[in-house]
Amino acid sequence: MHTRNAAVALAGLLAFAGLWSGWPGAYAVAVMAAFLISLAWGFAPAAPAALAMLVVAWLRRPEPEAALFMAAALVLAVWMGRELELRIRTVERRQRRLKEDLRAMLRAADRAGRFQDPEELLRRLPELLSDTRLRQVCVLDARNELQLEGGCDARRLPVPPAEVLNAGLPSYHPGPEGSLLLLPMCDRYVVVIESATPLDEDERSLFAAFVDVVCLLRRRLEENVEARRFGRLMEAMASSERLETAVAKVLELLLPMLEASSGVVMIFRMGRFEPLAMAGRMPPAEEALLLAGLPAGWGGIWKSYVSYRPLFISDYGRFSLRVQEVYDAGVRSLAFVPVSGERRARIVLVVQDERVREWTEEERDFLALVARGLGLMAERFLVSERLDALLRLEREVLGLMIDEAYETLMHYAVLLVPGAEAGSLLVRTESGDYAYAAALGYDLEKLRQITYTLEDIRDGWYRAGRGKWERGEPRVISTAERDIAQMSYKTAPVEVIDQAGRVREIKANLCFPIVYQGEVLALMNLDSFSDPEAFDEESLEVSRIFAQQTALLLHEQHYRRLLERAAHTDPLTGLANRRSFDEDYEVFWNSARRYGYPLAILIFDLSGFKEVNDRFGHAAGDRALREVARVLREQVRNGDHVYRWGGDEFAVLLPHTSLSGAVRAARRYAAAIAKVCLEGHCIQANFGAAAYPEDTADPEELLKLADSRMYQAKASGLVVEPRD
């Protein structure tokens, strides 16, 4: 400052000295001195100094033109210095103001960094800027047009907050009574800054930078909150021993975090969504609906499931796939989030609210994070459950009769393989063909009419090559790539497979041979009626494991069946023996009583058989018994079971048969037996018939009644008692 004043004073002295002495360059020095005095000391000192220099120059008697030029130059120099001085002072004031604002922003940013709650940071934002020269600061929720903090009236703003948010740029509005600056923040909010004075570009940029800093801090705090919440959820899941328990704990913690009214976690199994857990204020009508299971293709949950993407519905009343029962139960907002780990999502997390609400980006991101963690955890649980189910399957199958074992295998296959809704099991017969042994979702009795050759199954239906067939590799086809119905028609009667097999409804098929030591024992078909992409790599992986387990079980069942057949078969005739009759009779009786269908018994012996033994020997008698067994097998109806009790006594069990039907069957069997002759001696038979429930509701009484009627027929010389 002192140096500048000394320089200005020296310039003035030089100008006066030069003018007094008549130095030729004194005029230029005088103009420069006037300019410097005006710039450094202001207009008040510069004007008298310029006038004094003009007087000194006049005393030297200059030319009039030179005097006028000198006067104009001095005035211009003073004016230019004055203008420049004003501009410099303006810049200095602006710099001081920017420094003050910057210091205020730094203090505010420092205080903002001390908050732990993102919502509190948002609420206290106007307070953070309270020591600035701003008139007012407020925060608006631009999406919902709600005022969060401050006293701004969103309706009186020159631009709607939503428009500022969508543009993503500051909006500045100067006015005679002050200025307004609207700044978008965090993709949702708008900060309104009201100043009594205009805000230049640097000041606006400074406030915008501060808002960006606050937004970054808020996001960091939200991430910290989400991390803590997610940690609690993961801890709850990790402490659970079952999937149902884990998802129940997740819902209990999640609903308060989101301030939602209710939630449910659904898993897609066997063609339906079933609840794993429910929580919150679930309306009773909706709870009953969920417990009954939701079919494929139903509402928003199916849309989210097949698209693999979350679906957030703010106003359920306007949703095109609205389920009226759910809406009537009081649900107004929903979030469907597929739960996926490394595999395709088979589980959907559903969060509901009784009010119309916007799902924020933070909530959507948090739900996606929760679904991801739950998906990874669910995969571990599901793998464990499948292993447990395979162990149960082994225990159950080994204790069942072969037909029941087939049904159990079929049920577990549809249950365990992801995407399966129905299925059928074809087993190789003694002739080498394949026939239906079990089915789920199909008419098994009608399917039993169909048999397939090896070529039909392997080359016409499986169609993945002989090598994969012999290795038991699963193959998948869908309606997106082939016409499944036309494939089926090439190997099966259209009128049967169309209705009993529902081939026109099948969207995807997973087929895998069940191989033991290179031998294909059976073929499993699993089908989806709802989703062409139902079967993925996980489905193939599970089917391979299931096929290996099933091959071992079928192999053991085969040898068990051989042993049981030996223990339950009469070695002479090949018919089932009395032991087999006793076991089968108990099973058929229980089924008839449980399901209310009739059951008939025929008991008969051979007349004149003793004479055959006496006249022709026991070897001839054995031949006669074998021949009788042969004609009985030829005459047996589908569902009838023939037994040799011992000696020349036989029995027939006839499920679903009344007493009159049993009498007709007895006459048919008797006519066939009468054709068995040995060297002119023909064999006759006498039958006793009894039926449940016509004759009795006691199983022992039914046997005794049939036996006594046989003796009555024998004594009366009748074929069957009771007579027609």
Side-chain angles (χ1 to χ4, degrees):
M1 177 64 74
H2 295 296
T3 303
R4 186 186 68 180
N5 291 336
V8 171
L10 180 60
L13 290 175
L14 287 175
F16 277 106
L19 290 171
W20 184 259
S21 63
W23 178 45
Y27 292 110
V29 174
V31 171
M32 180 62 67
F35 173 77
L36 291 177
I37 293 171
S38 176
L39 180 64
W41 294 342
F43 178 76
L51 183 60
M53 283 186 279
L54 184 61
V55 170
V56 172
W58 182 261
L59 292 176
R60 298 298 298 169
R61 303 288 182 179
E63 294 295 330
E65 294 83 357
L68 289 175
F69 177 79
M70 174 68 174
L74 286 174
V75 171
L76 182 61
V78 171
W79 177 79
M80 289 180 61
R82 173 60 176 168
E83 287 298 315
L84 189 56
E85 182 226 1
L86 291 177
R87 291 179 179 274
I88 291 174
R89 292 181 185 276
T90 300
V91 171
E92 289 177 347
R93 285 196 301 271
R94 179 182 169 192
Q95 288 179 341
R96 285 196 300 271
R97 193 164 61 242
L98 280 175
K99 288 180 180 179
E100 292 173 359
D101 290 340
L102 181 58
R103 284 194 292 268
M105 294 298 103
L106 291 175
R107 290 194 299 271
D110 180 63
R111 290 198 299 269
R114 301 174 188 176
F115 286 96
Q116 299 298 320
D117 183 359
E119 300 307 318
E120 184 182 4
L121 173 61
L122 201 63
R123 291 194 303 270
R124 302 279 292 276
L125 178 59
E127 181 183 328
L128 294 176
L129 298 175
S130 60
D131 59 350
T132 62
R133 57 188 178 82
L134 299 176
R135 180 184 296 170
Q136 182 175 251
V137 177
C138 60
V139 181
L140 302 176
D141 185 340
R143 289 186 181 173
N144 298 323
E145 297 185 355
L146 296 175
Q147 180 176 308
L148 298 182
E149 294 298 329
C152 300
D153 188 351
R155 294 170 297 181
R156 299 179 61 184
L157 295 177
V159 178
E163 185 176 322
V164 176
L165 187 67
N166 293 334
L169 297 172
S171 179
Y172 178 61
H173 304 274
E177 298 181 358
S179 58
L180 281 177
L181 177 62
L182 284 70
L183 299 170
M185 184 177 73
C186 300
D187 300 326
R188 177 172 181 175
Y189 306 102
V190 170
V191 178
V192 180
I193 294 176
E194 183 178 352
S195 174
T197 59
L199 299 173
D200 60 34
E201 185 175 350
D202 290 336
E203 290 173 314
R204 298 197 296 269
S205 299
L206 181 61
F207 288 122
F210 174 73
V211 167
D212 290 340
V213 169
V214 171
C215 187
L216 291 174
L217 289 173
R218 187 172 184 276
R219 285 176 177 168
R220 188 197 67 186
L221 293 176
E222 287 175 342
E223 291 172 358
N224 293 340
V225 170
E226 286 185 3
R228 290 194 295 271
R229 290 175 175 176
F230 186 69
R232 291 201 300 272
L233 293 172
M234 291 300 100
E235 184 179 354
M237 284 189 281
S239 63
S240 304
E241 296 181 356
R242 298 176 64 248
L243 179 58
E244 291 79 0
T245 306
V247 296
K249 290 182 178 179
V250 168
L251 286 176
E252 290 176 1
L253 292 171
L254 185 62
L255 294 181
M257 295 176 184
L258 299 175
E259 298 181 356
S261 60
S262 60
V264 60
V265 177
M266 308 286 285
I267 185 169
F268 189 69
R269 282 176 176 163
M270 302 178 71
R272 300 183 74 81
F273 286 100
E274 302 171 352
L276 290 172
M278 292 185 284
R281 299 185 301 275
M282 184 70 67
E286 185 187 12
E287 182 176 356
L289 188 69
L290 296 177
L291 290 174
L294 304 180
W298 217 63
I301 191 170
W302 180 252
K303 183 177 181 180
S304 176
Y305 174 78
V306 296
S307 66
Y308 317 142
R309 294 182 178 179
L311 178 61
F312 295 94
I313 305 168
S314 298
D315 188 351
Y316 193 49
R318 299 180 179 180
F319 184 51
S320 60
L321 299 178
R322 181 185 68 209
V323 177
Q324 193 61 38
E325 295 91 334
V326 176
Y327 184 76
D328 292 342
V331 176
R332 294 296 177 265
S333 298
L334 289 122
F336 299 99
V337 186
V339 173
S340 60
E342 300 300 328
R343 312 276 189 171
R344 174 185 174 176
R346 305 283 178 179
I347 299 173
V348 180
L349 168 64
V350 185
V351 180
Q352 303 181 151
D353 209 334
E354 298 167 343
R355 56 197 168 97
V356 174
R357 63 179 287 175
E358 285 288 335
W359 299 97
T360 66
E361 289 296 328
E362 295 82 2
E363 291 169 339
R364 297 180 186 215
D365 293 342
F366 183 61
L367 280 173
L369 184 64
V370 171
R372 175 67 172 172
L374 185 57
L376 294 172
M377 193 71 66
E379 286 181 356
R380 179 175 65 85
F381 283 117
L382 290 174
V383 168
S384 178
E385 286 182 5
R386 289 186 187 120
L387 293 175
D388 292 341
L390 289 174
L391 292 175
R392 289 198 310 273
L393 172 65
E394 182 177 359
R395 291 193 298 268
E396 290 181 24
V397 167
L398 292 179
L400 296 173
M401 296 178 64
I402 188 63
D403 289 341
E404 294 175 327
Y406 290 149
E407 293 178 3
T408 303
L409 286 170
M410 188 73 261
H411 173 78
Y412 271 90
V414 176
L415 177 66
L416 294 178
V417 176
E421 300 176 32
S424 59
L425 176 66
L426 294 104
V427 176
R428 196 183 64 183
T429 64
E430 294 180 357
S431 65
D433 293 336
Y434 289 84
Y436 287 98
L440 185 63
Y442 300 109
D443 189 339
L444 178 60
E445 292 305 315
K446 291 184 179 179
L447 290 177
R448 288 187 190 275
Q449 303 173 21
I450 309 172
T451 57
Y452 302 91
T453 65
L454 172 63
E455 290 73 19
D456 287 339
I457 288 292
R458 184 189 63 201
D459 304 328
W461 173 249
Y462 177 68
R463 296 175 68 173
R466 180 173 298 187
K468 291 185 177 181
W469 168 268
E470 293 174 351
R471 293 194 303 271
E473 280 294 319
R475 74 100 179 93
V476 175
I477 57 173
S478 74
T479 52
E481 55 191 36
R482 290 183 188 172
D483 190 329
I484 295 178
Q486 291 301 322
M487 285 181 60
S488 302
Y489 296 156
K490 293 179 181 179
T491 56
V494 175
E495 62 276 7
V496 178
I497 203 69
D498 226 8
Q499 296 183 0
R502 303 170 61 186
V503 292
R504 291 188 178 276
E505 301 176 45
I506 298 174
K507 296 291 191 301
N509 169 263
L510 169 59
C511 174
F512 54 93
I514 298 172
V515 182
Y516 184 82
Q517 294 183 350
E519 182 181 2
V520 179
L521 304 177
L523 187 76
M524 182 74 77
N525 283 295
L526 299 176
D527 303 310
S528 170
F529 299 130
S530 57
D531 186 5
E533 300 180 9
F535 302 113
D536 57 6
E537 189 58 41
E538 183 184 19
S539 306
L540 296 175
E541 183 179 314
V542 176
S543 68
R544 291 187 185 99
I545 298 173
F546 186 84
Q548 295 171 2
Q549 184 79 0
T550 303
L552 294 173
L553 294 174
L554 289 180
H555 179 70
E556 288 198 30
Q557 277 283 359
H558 174 69
Y559 280 99
R560 280 186 60 217
R561 186 169 39 175
L562 293 179
L563 294 174
E564 289 177 359
R565 183 180 298 174
H568 292 75
T569 303
D570 174 55
L572 177 63
T573 62
L575 297 175
N577 58 20
R578 179 60 185 265
R579 177 181 177 183
S580 180
F581 174 88
D582 291 339
E583 293 179 0
D584 291 351
Y585 180 53
E586 181 179 1
V587 173
F588 288 133
W589 175 269
N590 291 333
S591 296
R593 185 176 59 182
R594 180 182 307 147
Y595 299 110
Y597 60 75
L599 173 65
I601 299 176
L602 296 178
I603 297 178
F604 64 97
D605 69 356
L606 305 179
S607 301
F609 180 71
K610 186 176 183 303
E611 295 179 14
V612 172
N613 278 332
D614 292 344
R615 288 180 57 185
F616 305 110
H618 288 286
D622 289 347
R623 287 202 308 275
L625 289 173
R626 285 195 291 269
E627 189 63 17
V628 168
R630 182 186 65 78
V631 298
L632 288 173
R633 278 193 291 268
E634 291 177 353
Q635 292 296 318
V636 72
R637 301 180 309 169
N638 185 28
D640 292 356
H641 298 264
V642 182
Y643 306 85
R644 182 190 178 197
W645 273 17
D648 63 344
E649 285 191 324
F650 296 82
V652 184
L653 286 174
L654 302 96
H656 303 278
T657 305
S658 63
L659 183 60
S660 60
V663 170
R664 289 194 298 271
R667 292 193 178 279
R668 189 176 72 252
Y669 287 128
I673 292 171
K675 296 177 182 179
V676 177
C677 300
L678 192 65
E679 298 188 16
H681 187 85
C682 296
I683 297 174
Q684 304 294 323
N686 303 106
F687 288 77
Y692 162 83
E694 294 176 67
D695 289 320
T696 180
D698 182 82
E700 294 297 329
E701 185 65 28
L702 191 66
L703 276 176
K704 291 178 181 178
L705 186 57
D707 194 47
S708 65
R709 286 176 176 175
M710 179 193 70
Y711 284 108
Q712 291 175 21
K714 195 176 188 69
S716 304
L718 299 173
V719 172
V720 60
E721 181 66 40
R723 65 194 72 186
D724 291 341

